[in-house]
């Protein structure tokens, strides 16, 4: 019996009063996970990432007693935002500030357990199955129809003051109602020296003519492993603008899938990954154009230093008989050290002829000519390099809105660089 | 004691092998051996070809490896599983039935020849009509052969090379595509029928384009072809494979292996036009083409260039690759893959950068029409020691019709920061405006499509030797027939 099995049985014993549906869903999901197992190098979609760290380390599930004294100042809190705070997997309702038109449900209130948000649907992602089996903290955030939320809502997942190695499987459901507009920030922060494992699943659905600006910030501690799954469903004329900024975690894997479930949807993905030391960041993006007149844009940038490695795998699928699809995908990678490694795999799978699709990928180091040019202008080579790296990252950072979040990311980036 | 034992053993061994020999004598007399694959079948093939022991052992070893391998399933193609025991792995070259005049040839075939603009005499030759004295391919070929001999170039069938130049064959065979490389390469290594062997000596620039077309015993090389081209220091060779004329073949499965070796300052240019039978409009029949092609730029300043025009075969599974081992070596891949009706193509290239200052260029153009699936699958790997490596890849696809698919799967793996690696891809249909503009100028839609497609492919066609390039353009038109309107 491995540690996951022990934890799973402990969880079942712990939540004896859970609804029958949830228990059976957990069991099905755990069976699925056992059947799939941890990804190996032989799995096409997982081949570049080594998960032995998670397999070997014995993490235990977080319980109520793991809640430390709540820090006076929550790290990462961005001024002028509404906030939802989750510490070591425990939702803190007393710290939550929310505007009208937004409601939050949490914990055992698995309201939509029969909905698509929880179905495994033949999904072959073992971490999604593992999350469904072990989900121990749940947040559903619902934005009512026709509401415009001016200020961003920040959801902070803080891992701090651990006594031993533990894991969390947060489940997040975001529903943006018709004609609504909102900005969400999903923010992961770790402050500990003990290995831990966070495996969130986020399900986002955006209703007709609604618009979501979604920012994901990953600042897990270097001792943390983070495997995430995010699924988006866009209805008619829905708009999504996402930015992901990730600099933390020893191992980071993110599976992103977007389905255009209605006509006329628009999606923009911007991503910036910063890695150093022996960090490994792996992002897989699938954009599925199932309906007509949809547009998607992707721009993923990596800056890799020291012995770190990066993986980018982006796939655009255009289904049969769809009309006027416009998809663009771009991946740019900057290698700062001779030991850094990058694997890029941008893919197009197109089954309709009424399309305009393109993708591009480039990998290289800083341009010697550009450094030389700056030097001739009296700028020393270190400053010149940092100026160029800044320029490279700014293409992503300056697109972030509102400005308060942009400033936060910009500061974090400057810290990372120095 | 030891010696006697050894002796005894060798006697036993001899007896066993002799036994086999006798046991199959009657079989050897037959033209075709019965379907199935086993060690004995391989011994028979080897014996029939009168091969030396080392080659027989090499085949047997490949067979053992093949037995441990699985049919690859990662490609974007679907086909019923192949029963390898139902295939006959050796059939002696048969005399083709000679036809007396062109009147006896299938009129459909003739029409295609006319569209391709193949001269009448050549048409006769291709269709298997007895060729008269005016155009005697044999004599033309003989003159060529003499010319090559003068330069010290070896250009012969693989079997001939095994007998006449065993040391060269032994040295290079399997050095680029090892027998364990992949399922189909292992199968080929075990049962390969025949193929071409080319050796260009030091400092020689081959005075003509080498083509299987002019090799006397090129006919019936069979379904498991093996080609080996070695360019020694400072030499140059351009090799043409295939033919624009449609090829009919009763063998459904083709698994060829091509190995290229370029020594210091050498250059090899390999051009292919593949137009095997693609099956009928409903996707019945057609050739399965599983080919392993790879070249190594073994030493500094060498260059290997692949150019391919793929229009035939029901299934194409082909990734001509270059291993850039020598410093400053260059790899190129220019490809046009056209699929129509129910054809499926999964093709691309691999560029493995090992040496410093190596550079590679990939230009791939995919055209899918009808209900076909066209996939570009490529890998660019820049290893740790490849300082200042450079890669430029461009993969464009055109879709004609709403039921076809075009896919792009590039794998990019960079382990050295001094590398400069760029990849671009685009997919679109033929614009309404473009067609309208051509229609307006009096071109029919069909002509307009072929004009646009030919323009799209121009970058690749210009890499082809002249005589091929002209035919390739016509081939595009013929292959696209019926896909518009």
């Amino acid at each position: 019996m491995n540690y996951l099995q022990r934890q799973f049985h402990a969880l079942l014993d712990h939540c004896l009063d859970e609804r029958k549906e949830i228990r059976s869903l957990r069991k099905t999901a755990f069976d699925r996970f056992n059947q799939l197992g941890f990804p190996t190098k032989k799995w096409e979609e997982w081949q570049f990432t080594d998960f032995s760290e998670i397999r070997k380390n014995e993490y235990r599930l977080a319980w109520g007693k793991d809640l430390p004294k709540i820090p006076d100042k929550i790290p990462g809190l961005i001024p002028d935002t509404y906030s939802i705070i989750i510490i070591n997997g425990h939702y803190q309702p007393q710290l939550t500030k929310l505007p009208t038109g937004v409601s939050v449900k949490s914990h055992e209130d698995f309201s939509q357990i029969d909905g698509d948000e929880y179905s495994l649907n033949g999904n072959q992602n073992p971490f999604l199955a593992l999350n469904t089996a072990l989900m121990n903290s749940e947040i559903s955030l619902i934005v009512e129809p026709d509401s415009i939320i001016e200020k961003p809502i920040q959801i902070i997942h803080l891992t701090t003051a651990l006594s031993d190695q533990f894991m969390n499987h947060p489940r997040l459901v975001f529903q943006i109602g018709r004609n609504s507009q909102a900005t969400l920030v999903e923010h992961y922060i770790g402050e500990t020296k003990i290995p831990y494992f966070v495996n969130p699943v986020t399900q986002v659905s955006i209703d007709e003519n609604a618009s979501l600006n979604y920012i994901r910030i990953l600042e897990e501690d270097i001792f943390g492993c983070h495997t995430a799954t995010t699924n988006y469903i866009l209805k008619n004329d829905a708009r999504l603008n996402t930015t992901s900024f990730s600099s933390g975690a020893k191992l980071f894997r993110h599976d992103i899938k977007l389905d255009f479930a209605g006509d006329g949807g628009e999606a923009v993905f911007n991503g910036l990954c910063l890695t150093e030391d022996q960090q490994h960041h792996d992002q897989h993006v699938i954009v599925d154009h199932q309906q007509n007149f949809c547009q998607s844009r992707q721009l993923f940038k990596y800056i890799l230093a020291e012995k770190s490695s990066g993986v980018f795998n982006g796939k655009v699928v255009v289904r049969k008989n769809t009309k006027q699809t416009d998809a663009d995908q771009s991946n740019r990678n900057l290698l700062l050290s001779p030991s850094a490694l990058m694997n890029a795999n941008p893919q197009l799978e197109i089954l309709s002829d009424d399309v305009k699709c393109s993708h591009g990928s480039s990998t290289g180091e800083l341009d010697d000519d550009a450094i030389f040019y700056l030097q001739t202008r009296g700028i020393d080579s270190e400053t010149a390099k940092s100026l160029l790296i800044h320029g490279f990252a700014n293409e992503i950072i300056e697109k972030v809105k509102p400005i308060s979040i942009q400033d936060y990311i910009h500061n974090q980036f400057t810290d990372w660089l120095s | 004691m030891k010696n006697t034992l050894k002796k005894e053993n060798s006697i036993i061994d001899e007896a066993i092998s002799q036994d086999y020999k006798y046991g199959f004598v009657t079989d050897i007399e037959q033209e075709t051996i019965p379907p199935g694959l086993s060690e004995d079948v391989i011994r028979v093939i080897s014996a029939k070809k009168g091969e030396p022991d080392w080659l027989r052992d090499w085949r047997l070893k490949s067979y053992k490896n093949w037995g441990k391998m699985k049919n690859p399933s990662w490609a974007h193609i679907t086909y019923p599983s192949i029963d390898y025991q139902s295939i006959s792995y050796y059939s002696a070259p048969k005399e083709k039935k000679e036809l007396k005049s062109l009147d006896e040839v299938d009129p459909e075939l003739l029409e295609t020849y006319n569209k391709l603009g193949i001269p009448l005499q050549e048409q006769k030759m291709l269709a298997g009509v007895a060729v008269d004295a005016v155009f005697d391919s044999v004599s033309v070929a003989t003159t060529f052969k003499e010319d090559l001999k003068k330069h010290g170039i070896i250009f012969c069938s693989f079997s001939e090379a095994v007998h006449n130049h065993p040391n060269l064959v032994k040295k290079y065979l399997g050095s680029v595509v090892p027998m364990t490389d992949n399922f189909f390469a292992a199968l080929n290594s075990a049962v390969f029928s025949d193929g071409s062997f080319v050796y260009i000596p030091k400092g020689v620039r081959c005075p003509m384009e080498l083509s299987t077309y002019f090799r006397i015993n090129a006919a019936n090389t069979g379904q498991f072809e093996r080609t080996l081209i070695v360019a020694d220091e400072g030499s140059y060779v351009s090799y043409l494979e295939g033919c624009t004329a449609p090829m009919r073949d009763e063998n459904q499965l083709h698994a060829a292996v091509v190995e290229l070796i370029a020594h210091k300052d050498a250059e090899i240019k390999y051009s292919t036009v593949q137009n095997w039978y693609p099956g009928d409009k409903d996707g019945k029949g057609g050739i399965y083409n599983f080919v392993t092609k790879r070249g190594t730029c073994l030493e500094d300043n060498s260059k290997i260039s692949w150019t391919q025009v793929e229009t035939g075969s029901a299934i194409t599974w082909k990734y001509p690759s270059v291993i850039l081992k020598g410093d400053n070596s260059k790899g190129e891949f220019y490809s046009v893959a056209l699929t129509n009706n129910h054809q499926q193509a999964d093709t691309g290239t691999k560029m493995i950068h090992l040496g410093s200052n190596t550079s590679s260029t990939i230009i791939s153009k995919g055209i899918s029409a009808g209900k076909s699936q066209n996939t570009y699958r490529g890998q660019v790997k820049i290893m740790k020691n490849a300082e200042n490596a450079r890669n430029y890849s461009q993969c464009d696809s055109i879709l004609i019709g709403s039921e076809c698919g075009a896919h792009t799967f590039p794998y990019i793996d960079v382990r050295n920061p001094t590398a400069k690696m760029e990849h671009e891809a685009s997919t679109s249909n033929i614009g309404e405006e473009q067609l309208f503009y051509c229609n307006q100028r009096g071109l029919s839609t069909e002509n307009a499509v072929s004009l646009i497609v030919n323009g799209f492919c121009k970058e690749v066609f210009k890499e082809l030797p002249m005589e091929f390039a002209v035919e390739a353009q016509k081939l595009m038109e013929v292959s696209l027939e019926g896909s518009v309107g």
Side-chain angles (χ1 to χ4, degrees):
Chain A
M1 202 191 268
N2 65 27
Y3 80 91
L4 286 169
Q5 269 160 335
R6 280 195 298 274
Q7 291 301 314
F8 179 67
H9 292 299
L11 177 76
L12 287 187
D13 293 342
H14 182 75
C15 320
L16 281 171
D17 50 348
E18 243 180 7
R19 280 192 7 232
K20 240 185 17 217
E21 292 89 337
I22 303 169
R23 282 182 91 81
S24 80
L25 177 70
R26 284 188 192 279
K27 279 178 186 153
T28 323
F30 199 66
D31 286 345
R32 170 73 63 83
F33 174 77
N34 281 331
Q35 194 190 330
L36 295 166
F38 277 105
T40 69
K41 298 244 173 239
K42 285 184 180 159
W43 296 21
E44 172 83 13
E45 300 293 329
W46 302 80
Q47 55 183 333
F48 300 112
T49 304
D50 180 8
F51 293 97
S52 55
E53 174 88 16
I54 300 172
R55 204 179 59 232
K56 281 186 203 142
N57 267 357
E58 302 232 336
Y59 305 104
R60 63 164 181 80
L61 273 172
W63 306 113
K65 63 176 168 27
D66 294 318
L67 185 65
K69 189 178 156 286
I70 293 164
D72 297 333
K73 196 175 163 288
I74 304 284
L77 204 59
I78 298 169
D80 206 22
T81 54
Y82 300 111
S83 55
I84 293 170
I85 315 286
I86 296 149
I87 298 175
N88 287 1
H90 298 281
Y91 172 52
Q92 304 302 312
Q94 78 282 10
L95 297 174
T96 297
K97 282 182 287 175
L98 285 176
T100 46
V102 180
S103 59
V104 162
K105 290 176 185 168
S106 76
H107 287 302
E108 269 82 55
D109 193 11
F110 290 98
S111 47
Q112 302 237 348
I113 195 82
D114 311 318
D116 284 344
E117 284 83 359
Y118 291 95
S119 79
L120 291 168
N121 262 341
N123 199 306
Q124 296 297 307
N125 179 350
F127 292 105
L128 175 68
L130 188 64
N131 176 286
T132 313
L134 298 174
M135 47 191 177
N136 61 340
S137 71
E138 195 236 13
I139 292 284
S140 298
L141 186 141
I142 293 147
V143 178
E144 302 289 322
D146 305 307
S147 31
I148 311 272
I149 313 298
E150 301 275 351
K151 284 199 280 181
I153 303 166
Q154 190 183 12
I155 301 155
I156 294 185
H157 288 263
L158 174 66
T159 305
T160 185
L162 298 184
S163 52
D164 54 348
Q165 304 184 12
F166 85 37
M167 60 181 170
N168 259 321
H169 298 268
R171 189 79 169 202
L172 300 139
V173 176
F174 301 145
Q175 288 172 342
I176 315 298
R178 273 178 81 115
N179 308 326
S180 290
Q181 273 180 34
T183 296
L184 286 181
V185 184
E186 197 179 328
H187 196 158
Y188 292 88
I189 302 182
E191 288 186 334
T192 174
K193 294 283 166 277
I194 288 170
Y196 65 99
F197 170 39
V198 182
N199 178 31
V201 170
T202 311
Q203 308 276 12
V204 182
S205 70
I206 308 174
D207 255 348
E208 281 166 34
N209 199 34
S211 161
L212 175 66
N213 179 22
Y214 178 70
I215 296 127
R216 193 177 203 280
I217 304 174
L218 183 87
E219 293 180 294
E220 296 284 14
D221 195 88
I222 195 72
F223 290 91
C225 290
H226 188 102
T227 54
T229 309
T230 308
N231 296 321
Y232 301 96
I233 293 171
L234 269 66
K235 304 269 171 62
N236 281 348
D237 304 309
R239 291 173 304 281
L240 170 72
N241 191 337
T242 77
T243 306
S244 93
F245 172 82
S246 36
S247 62
K250 183 182 202 173
L251 181 140
F252 170 48
R253 159 86 186 197
H254 196 181
D255 283 89
I256 301 164
K257 187 164 189 295
L258 182 134
D259 291 327
F260 284 107
D263 289 350
E266 271 178 45
V268 178
F269 290 92
N270 288 314
L272 180 63
C273 266
L274 312 171
T275 61
E276 58 188 353
D277 202 6
Q278 301 219 351
Q279 280 180 287
H280 179 83
H281 280 201
D282 178 349
Q283 294 186 97
H284 274 58
V285 186
I286 299 173
V287 176
D288 196 344
H289 285 264
Q290 301 170 348
Q291 302 295 333
N292 304 325
F293 322 116
C294 294
Q295 193 188 62
S296 68
R297 294 278 174 271
Q298 295 175 44
L299 175 62
F300 282 89
K301 288 194 165 189
Y302 286 67
I303 303 177
L304 304 141
E306 294 167 3
K307 284 185 173 171
S308 64
S309 48
V311 179
F312 173 74
N313 185 313
K315 189 189 252 179
V316 174
V317 183
V318 180
R319 298 289 170 120
K320 247 184 188 168
N321 301 322
T322 52
K323 289 191 198 78
Q324 299 199 7
T325 298
D326 185 352
D328 182 63
Q329 183 192 60
S330 188
N331 165 237
R332 307 259 172 268
N333 313 308
L334 189 58
L335 302 178
L336 297 180
S337 115
S339 317
L341 160 71
M342 183 69 207
N343 278 296
N345 188 198
Q347 309 179 2
L348 297 174
E349 209 175 311
I350 293 157
L351 295 159
S352 163
D353 72 333
D354 194 358
V355 295
K356 214 171 88 189
C357 292
S358 58
H359 71 194
S361 173
S362 66
T363 303
E365 60 179 350
L366 289 171
D367 186 0
D368 280 341
D369 292 344
I371 296 172
F372 178 72
Y373 174 86
L374 290 167
Q375 283 180 304
T376 61
R377 275 5 181 213
I379 296 167
D380 68 275
S381 83
E382 282 310 306
T383 318
K385 278 181 191 167
S386 114
L387 206 63
L388 288 170
I389 298 171
H390 233 103
F392 180 81
N394 251 345
E395 196 186 342
I396 304 278
I397 297 172
E398 68 188 13
K399 283 183 188 152
V400 179
K401 286 202 178 82
I403 202 81
S404 57
I405 299 169
Q406 190 188 113
D407 284 347
Y408 178 83
I409 292 177
H410 193 254
N411 287 339
Q412 298 307 101
F413 171 70
T414 316
D415 280 357
W416 181 83
L417 200 57
S418 54
Chain B
M1 179 65 191
K2 226 179 191 178
N3 274 342
T4 46
L5 227 147
K6 226 181 198 172
K7 212 173 168 185
E8 246 176 54
N9 274 343
S10 71
I11 291 169
I12 293 169
D13 281 351
E14 220 175 285
I16 293 169
S17 62
Q18 267 178 2
D19 212 358
Y20 268 119
K21 239 183 186 169
Y22 290 126
F24 281 90
V25 161
T26 42
D27 280 342
I28 292 168
E29 299 300 325
Q30 288 171 6
E31 280 287 273
T32 308
I33 56 169
L37 185 55
S38 66
E39 282 198 17
D40 293 342
V41 169
I42 287 160
R43 280 176 213 277
V44 172
I45 294 171
S46 195
K48 277 207 179 220
K49 298 173 82 67
E51 281 172 355
D53 291 354
W54 65 266
L55 191 55
R56 187 195 59 211
D57 294 343
W58 193 76
R59 281 175 185 272
L60 287 171
K61 211 170 153 195
S62 306
Y63 173 70
K64 266 197 195 129
N65 281 314
W66 178 73
K68 287 181 218 149
M69 290 170 155
K70 274 194 187 130
N71 211 333
S73 57
W74 42 262
H76 203 97
I77 49 179
T78 47
Y79 55 94
S81 68
I82 300 163
D83 181 6
Y84 293 94
Q85 295 302 335
S86 69
I87 299 169
S88 171
Y89 288 86
Y90 185 86
S91 55
K94 269 178 274 179
E95 284 293 313
K96 263 194 185 164
K97 199 183 110 198
E98 290 227 326
L99 307 169
K100 286 200 187 77
S101 79
L102 275 177
D103 300 339
E104 295 174 33
V105 180
D106 180 3
E108 204 183 307
L109 201 63
L110 285 181
E111 204 186 315
T112 319
Y113 287 164
N114 283 329
K115 280 179 196 153
L116 287 170
I118 296 170
L120 196 70
Q121 294 300 340
E122 252 179 83
Q123 282 188 24
K124 288 186 178 174
M125 211 189 90
L126 290 167
V129 176
V131 183
D132 56 27
V134 184
F135 184 89
D136 186 352
S137 68
V138 175
S139 67
V140 170
T142 320
T143 19
F144 276 144
K145 269 218 145 165
E146 267 163 24
D147 200 11
L148 291 176
K149 211 170 180 183
K150 217 166 63 198
H151 286 91
I153 294 167
I154 304 168
F155 178 39
C156 59
S157 77
F158 206 92
S159 316
E160 263 177 70
V162 169
H163 288 119
N164 301 338
H165 313 281
N167 290 339
L168 281 176
V169 177
K170 201 172 174 177
K171 184 172 170 192
Y172 293 108
L173 179 70
S175 68
V176 187
V177 181
M179 57 172 90
T180 49
D181 190 76
N182 68 64
F183 186 80
F184 297 108
L187 178 65
N188 177 290
S189 302
V191 300
F192 68 86
S193 32
D194 210 334
S196 310
F197 177 80
V198 178
Y199 175 80
I200 315 288
K202 268 184 194 169
V204 171
R205 193 182 163 86
C206 187
M208 66 197 73
E209 316 265 356
L210 295 183
S211 163
T212 41
Y213 190 84
F214 287 116
R215 215 189 58 221
I216 301 172
N217 38 13
N220 261 323
T221 39
Q223 52 189 145
F224 300 103
E225 206 171 333
R226 186 131 196 146
T227 305
L228 179 57
I229 300 175
V230 183
D232 216 326
E233 208 178 309
S235 64
Y236 168 85
V237 62
S238 167
Y239 186 89
L240 313 181
E241 175 202 54
C243 181
T244 48
M247 297 291 274
R248 306 238 168 172
D249 193 304
E250 66 256 35
N251 298 317
Q252 220 194 357
L253 174 72
H254 280 246
V257 171
V258 177
E259 295 177 283
L260 310 183
I261 295 121
H263 283 281
K264 198 165 181 244
D265 303 321
E267 181 178 344
I268 302 174
K269 189 173 163 60
Y270 194 104
S271 315
T272 312
V273 174
Q274 184 259 112
N275 191 18
W276 299 101
Y277 180 55
D280 65 7
K281 282 200 172 67
D282 305 314
K284 267 193 203 130
I287 306 282
Y288 294 174
N289 195 17
F290 297 96
V291 188
T292 309
K293 287 188 171 179
R294 194 176 303 154
T296 354
C297 288
L298 207 59
E299 287 166 73
D300 297 357
N301 309 322
S302 49
K303 179 177 171 185
I304 288 177
S305 170
W306 297 101
T307 310
Q308 60 171 22
V309 177
E310 303 279 326
T311 57
S313 296
I315 288 171
T316 305
W317 180 98
K318 184 178 179 185
Y319 314 93
S321 318
V322 184
I323 300 166
L324 298 152
K325 212 170 182 180
D327 291 350
N328 315 322
S329 56
K330 273 197 171 103
E332 286 173 355
F333 174 76
Y334 299 97
S335 162
V336 167
L338 184 147
T339 53
N340 199 352
N341 298 326
H342 286 267
Q343 279 177 275
Q344 304 175 64
D346 195 300
T347 182
T349 185
K350 268 192 202 174
M351 294 287 172
I352 318 280
H353 292 253
L354 298 168
S356 300
N357 305 317
T358 47
S359 71
S360 59
T361 309
I362 300 169
I363 309 282
S364 164
K365 306 277 180 184
I367 301 130
S368 34
K371 292 180 178 167
S372 65
Q373 298 292 333
N374 200 328
T375 306
Y376 167 81
R377 187 185 300 276
Q379 185 180 45
V380 178
K381 212 171 191 170
I382 294 172
M383 303 306 280
K384 230 181 172 112
N385 297 327
E387 291 288 321
N388 298 315
R390 185 84 181 80
N391 165 267
Y392 175 75
S393 311
Q394 191 190 337
C395 316
D396 296 323
S397 310
I398 279 191
L399 293 148
I400 301 169
S402 58
E403 288 179 279
C404 50
H407 317 290
T408 317
F409 301 120
Y411 292 74
I412 300 155
D413 187 348
V414 183
R415 291 162 194 262
N416 187 310
T418 57
K420 285 205 171 55
M421 129 89 239
E422 291 166 75
H423 172 95
E424 275 181 86
S426 72
T427 307
S428 64
N429 55 354
I430 296 178
E432 295 268 331
E433 307 91 44
Q434 288 171 316
L435 284 178
F436 180 71
Y437 180 86
C438 292
N439 285 156
Q440 211 188 13
R441 295 304 185 262
L443 286 174
S444 67
T445 306
E446 197 150 81
N447 283 338
V449 167
S450 99
L451 184 81
I452 292 162
V453 167
N454 270 315
F456 175 72
C457 301
K458 203 162 190 173
E459 246 180 304
V460 174
F461 285 165
K462 73 170 202 269
E463 297 296 325
L464 284 171
M466 215 263 289
E467 51 271 59
F468 258 32
V470 178
E471 287 183 18
Q473 286 197 18
K474 293 228 173 74
L475 182 61
M476 285 287 137
E477 282 168 37
V478 175
S479 306
L480 276 173
E481 240 170 42
S483 65
V484 185

